[in-house]
Amino acid sequence: MATSDNTHVPASNVVRVTIPASVAYNFDSITKVTQTVLGKLGCLGCHSGRDIRFIIEDNFAVDEKLNVFPNINNVGNELAR
Amino acid sequence: MNSPVDELGIGLICFPGMETAVQSLSGHIDLVEIEPQTSWFTESPESDSFRFDPQFAATLIAMPQPKVFHGVGFPIGSTLLPPKSHFETLNAHIDAVKPIYTSEHLSFNRYCNTEGSVHQTNFLLPPLQNQKGVETAVRAIHHYKQQTGKPFAFETGVNYLRCRPDEMEDGEFIARIAEESDAYILLDLHNLLANQLNGRQPVNDLLQQLPAERIIEIHLAGGSWYQDYYLDAHSGVSSPELLALTDTIVRDLPCLKSIVFEVLPDYFGQGFTESDLRRQLEAMKKIWDHRNATAAHRRRYERIKSRRPVDNSLIPEVWEFALGNIANSGSNEDIPLQHELLQDPGVAIIRNLIFEFRASMLVSGLKMTCRLVKLQMGTQRFHQLLKDYCATHESEIFGYASALRFAKFLEEQQLNIPYLQGMLDFELSAAQTYIDGKIRTLHLSFDPFLLLDNLVHWQNPPPQLSSTIQYQVEIHPDAPITDKDALLRFNAVAHM
Ligand SMILES: [Fe+2]
């Protein structure tokens, strides 16, 4: 059954999800990557450059046959190196 | 007169998500600058009311450094004044965090079309540089100061357009606004260097035209090149060129109170590290020690007025509509000003950047939903979908409002993508919970963890993932959790 902890509700700016305990999942990989699941909900910060959040999402490309491959020439990949 | 501001020292702009970096480098940071609206929310695209995030405010209050507010989203180069509700929220935020002063940008990001409806550009655009442009900014600054009761500085903006032959020179424009509004100047040297590199007034010539005693703050940042343009990207450390330039400039600034570094949290983990940040702050400290080092009689900057003739016949409302409409990919070649602006190669840059801003907001506001759609449609069709959306839907400056509008659009497309509706509900519910702190329960016909696991690894979810089991997913605001908790944590604000 879902793990629930309503007594600690107000804490910080992190959202948590509870799900049935029987679910198999890879906790580490999900936690790591979904830290930015929601992105910014507020106003954009002040800058006049390229917003790399879109570019980083293009680090993987999906072709017409729906094959997924790393987009090695993407700026986001260059930044990450 | 603006009240005097005390000397502050070296600062850093702290976005939601940078708290840990600020805390661990606390010894190098004398002041914390905040862009308040980055932690504000709106309830819907239609809403004009805002709320600030109390948790982030509490974190800021707990920091020992003095705070300064640097507004975003409601710049003072505009004929359109911010709604009353903006100042209500800003003042509540000011009451909570107690910044020493506030600043905003000498730019505009909204315009009124010929039918009288207001549109957002999602990008800071340069105002009309003539005497009427000066008066527009002066009016907006007076309004801002009157509404907040705080000392006020305006920031020198970036401008990717070419110089127009009959416009006021950049330095003269800034100087007149500062003098006529009795405001301080936030000298963004990275913006001014970008302008110089892109063909506008050289920084040193511009500084000769400024009233140096009004410059109380300097912004530094890092940038990058894109199609022959140097962008104010806030993407990393400052270049040696910018640091050297700043080192010579601060010596002749008699009233400088702070030097503040700007970097976007998105670049942490993308090559920019905490030790880069430390090195940047240390370099700034050395520069800071040279402030006001030149003897008064030898100072270089003494407000030399520009003698260039200026065309004052154009009015800011016409300029805002022309440039705003073009930036939003409209074009009316019959209108001479729009025709003129369309010849400027900077317009294509602005349009591309606006598309990336909007697309970034969508793919981060609804990250897993967008990934699912991309996996099911392919990159090309997904990009086309984003372009179609941007061409037909209004821009939003708030992330949540933007996500809501895009969610509706996706529903209308009837894309027939498995799990799409569930994923949308999941991400929107999580966003709402982040904003209002209320627990939500969702019922899904699939296991969200398995779906997320696929999406995280860029794998198309297999059809058999679908199940007759109903999954009850409780979403609640974060609480301290232990490793034993079978909980998925994720963060609602873009983070390192
Ligand atoms: Fe700035």
Side-chain angles (χ1 to χ4, degrees):
Chain A
M1 199 41 231
T3 312
S4 176
D5 195 356
N6 301 0
T7 53
H8 294 109
V9 168
S12 68
N13 59 348
V14 181
V15 178
R16 71 180 186 172
V17 180
T18 65
I19 63 158
S22 58
V23 174
Y25 58 90
N26 182 343
F27 182 76
D28 284 338
S29 68
I30 289 178
T31 350
K32 185 166 165 271
V33 182
T34 53
Q35 270 178 1
T36 53
V37 161
L38 282 170
K40 282 178 183 162
L41 298 175
C43 194
L44 287 168
C46 133
H47 72 106
S48 302
R50 302 187 71 183
D51 195 325
I52 56 160
R53 295 173 298 166
F54 176 61
I55 299 165
I56 289 170
E57 270 303 286
D58 270 349
N59 280 350
F60 285 90
V62 185
D63 68 16
E64 280 170 27
K65 291 181 179 149
L66 306 185
N67 298 313
V68 182
F69 53 92
N71 190 2
I72 48 166
N73 295 324
N74 194 35
V75 181
N77 267 318
E78 282 170 30
L79 285 167
R81 275 198 283 271
Chain B
M1 177 69 190
N2 257 334
S3 350
V5 171
D6 290 336
E7 240 180 31
L8 294 163
I10 298 305
L12 176 70
I13 297 214
C14 177
F15 291 99
M18 285 174 67
E19 302 90 327
T20 324
V22 172
Q23 276 151 6
S24 76
L25 293 173
S26 193
H28 298 266
I29 299 170
D30 304 316
L31 82 140
V32 175
E33 187 159 308
I34 301 116
E35 298 187 356
Q37 294 83 359
T38 57
S39 64
W40 287 17
F41 307 117
T42 48
E43 298 286 350
S44 72
E46 295 75 32
S47 171
D48 245 356
S49 74
F50 313 102
R51 270 194 293 152
F52 67 86
D53 178 349
Q55 263 87 37
F56 184 58
T59 310
L60 296 171
I61 293 163
M63 291 175 180
Q65 293 91 346
K67 319 293 181 310
V68 167
F69 269 8
H70 181 50
V72 283
F74 300 89
I76 51 83
S78 177
T79 56
L80 299 168
L81 297 176
K84 201 163 156 271
S85 54
H86 166 256
F87 286 109
E88 286 164 5
T89 311
L90 184 62
N91 284 331
H93 209 168
I94 287 173
D95 282 347
V97 179
K98 309 218 176 333
I100 293 168
Y101 62 91
T102 65
S103 60
E104 250 294 356
H105 298 80
L106 176 54
S107 313
F108 76 96
N109 61 357
R110 292 188 303 156
Y111 63 96
C112 193
N113 71 6
T114 42
E115 281 88 49
S117 56
V118 174
H119 300 270
Q120 180 61 243
T121 61
N122 238 329
F123 195 81
L124 293 171
L125 294 167
L128 174 65
Q129 285 189 196
N130 68 12
Q131 186 54 32
K132 287 177 179 137
V134 170
E135 286 156 17
T136 295
V138 169
R139 167 177 171 259
I141 292 170
H142 281 318
H143 182 67
Y144 208 103
K145 282 165 61 171
Q146 184 206 352
Q147 292 290 317
T148 62
K150 285 278 172 192
F152 182 84
F154 67 90
E155 183 184 87
T156 57
V158 76
N159 187 346
Y160 295 134
L161 299 180
R162 296 185 293 214
C163 292
R164 302 177 70 235
D166 50 3
E167 73 183 359
M168 201 177 275
E169 285 185 282
D170 294 358
E172 179 70 19
F173 185 62
I174 296 163
R176 284 204 198 180
I177 291 168
E179 287 164 349
E180 293 181 28
S181 67
D182 184 23
Y184 291 125
I185 297 172
L186 194 179
L187 192 75
D188 189 318
L189 283 175
H190 189 253
N191 284 353
L192 298 182
L193 180 63
N195 292 349
Q196 173 185 312
L197 293 170
N198 295 328
R200 295 191 66 88
Q201 193 178 25
V203 179
N204 273 315
D205 295 357
L206 183 150
L207 273 155
Q208 295 292 351
Q209 295 177 336
L210 296 190
E213 72 286 355
R214 289 190 181 270
I215 300 170
I216 60 164
E217 179 175 346
I218 285 177
H219 269 183
L220 294 181
S224 54
W225 286 91
Y226 174 57
Q227 296 181 10
D228 296 336
Y229 279 76
Y230 182 76
L231 300 184
D232 171 46
H234 299 186
S235 50
V237 294
S238 300
S239 63
E241 180 189 12
L242 177 60
L243 293 174
L245 182 72
T246 310
D247 194 68
T248 61
I249 289 171
V250 298
R251 294 163 192 264
D252 293 324
L253 299 182
C255 300
L256 187 67
K257 308 300 181 194
S258 66
I259 306 178
V260 173
F261 180 60
E262 307 183 89
V263 64
L264 288 171
D266 312 275
Y267 286 92
F268 283 92
Q270 302 294 329
F272 185 78
T273 64
E274 199 173 293
S275 53
D276 292 330
L277 183 53
R278 178 181 287 109
R279 275 199 302 279
Q280 170 81 29
L281 296 170
E282 284 167 356
M284 284 161 59
K285 174 72 172 70
K286 283 192 189 137
I287 293 171
W288 171 248
D289 290 340
H290 299 148
R291 71 193 181 283
N292 196 21
T294 308
H297 67 282
R298 295 184 59 200
R299 273 188 211 130
R300 288 177 298 161
Y301 311 128
E302 47 181 279
R303 177 65 179 120
I304 299 167
K305 291 191 178 172
S306 167
R307 291 173 191 274
R308 191 207 273 185
V310 174
D311 173 11
N312 287 313
S313 63
L314 198 56
I315 62 168
E317 288 84 350
V318 170
W319 171 263
E320 288 171 4
F321 170 57
L323 182 55
N325 185 42
I326 283 172
N328 275 349
S329 296
S331 62
N332 188 341
E333 292 269 3
D334 296 339
I335 300 174
L337 180 59
Q338 294 205 21
H339 176 79
E340 177 204 310
L341 289 169
L342 283 164
Q343 312 312 308
D344 191 326
V347 164
I349 298 295
I350 293 171
R351 284 177 167 177
N352 288 348
L353 295 176
I354 290 176
F355 172 70
E356 286 183 354
F357 266 68
R358 295 191 65 186
S360 286
M361 229 173 187
L362 302 176
V363 300
S364 53
L366 292 171
K367 185 164 185 159
M368 290 297 145
T369 304
C370 286
R371 209 176 269 193
L372 175 66
V373 174
K374 191 194 269 186
L375 282 164
Q376 295 276 317
M377 295 178 92
T379 300
Q380 218 177 355
R381 281 182 64 208
F382 176 64
H383 285 186
Q384 192 54 50
L385 187 77
L386 288 174
K387 283 184 183 142
D388 291 346
Y389 172 78
C390 290
T392 52
H393 289 72
E394 280 294 305
S395 188
E396 293 289 339
I397 57 167
F398 285 90
Y400 177 60
S402 206
L404 275 182
R405 208 187 271 272
F406 189 55
K408 194 155 169 265
F409 171 80
L410 286 178
E411 284 167 358
E412 287 163 1
Q413 301 308 298
Q414 301 187 339
L415 295 170
N416 195 23
I417 291 175
Y419 316 111
L420 178 58
Q421 190 60 53
M423 201 63 225
L424 262 180
D425 293 344
F426 175 75
E427 290 200 292
L428 286 177
S429 300
Q432 284 161 355
T433 292
Y434 179 77
I435 290 170
D436 65 16
K438 291 182 186 147
I439 295 171
R440 282 181 173 74
T441 305
L442 273 185
H443 295 277
L444 298 174
S445 60
F446 56 86
D447 176 349
F449 274 93
L450 289 180
L451 180 61
L452 282 170
D453 201 28
N454 277 293
L455 297 176
V456 160
H457 294 104
W458 282 98
Q459 288 161 357
N460 253 313
Q464 64 266 31
L465 252 177
S466 217
S467 153
T468 51
I469 303 169
Q470 286 282 314
Y471 290 87
Q472 180 179 304
V473 183
E474 281 186 11
I475 303 174
H476 18 151
D478 183 51
I481 61 167
T482 68
D483 289 339
K484 283 179 285 174
D485 288 323
L487 299 174
L488 168 61
R489 292 175 77 210
F490 65 92
N491 203 327
V493 175
H495 283 299
M496 311 177 261

